[in-house]
Amino acid sequence: MPKPKVNEELCIGCGTCEALCPKTFKVENGKSKVIAESCEDCDCSEVVSSCPVNAISLES
Ligand code: SF4
């Protein structure tokens, strides 16, 4: 399973990732944090492509 990673320098805290995948992402203090070890429900590609500033990448 891929492990998503958020680049906090780029993240603007829009909440899109948390809305799409609340088990994996949590926005706190204006920055998204990955709260899951890996994405269990999907391959995260939708979340990655939905981030407006391309702050999410995947590590396998
Ligand atoms: S979708 Fe991107 S910019 Fe928006 S909170 Fe998530 S990581 Fe940050």
Side-chain angles (χ1 to χ4, degrees):
M1 284 289 151
K3 179 169 166 47
K5 194 169 180 240
V6 172
N7 182 333
E8 289 196 359
E9 305 271 312
L10 297 176
C11 175
I12 55 171
C14 71
T16 301
C17 53
E18 184 178 2
L20 288 171
C21 218
K23 280 191 210 162
T24 303
F25 299 93
K26 183 162 179 53
V27 177
E28 266 179 6
N29 301 321
K31 298 288 175 184
S32 176
K33 278 194 343 193
V34 175
I35 55 170
E37 272 307 303
S38 63
C39 199
E40 287 168 24
D41 296 336
C42 67
D43 65 1
C44 287
S45 55
E46 188 187 349
V47 182
V48 169
S49 61
S50 296
C51 175
V53 292
N54 287 319
I56 304 171
S57 56
L58 295 179
E59 298 175 334
S60 47

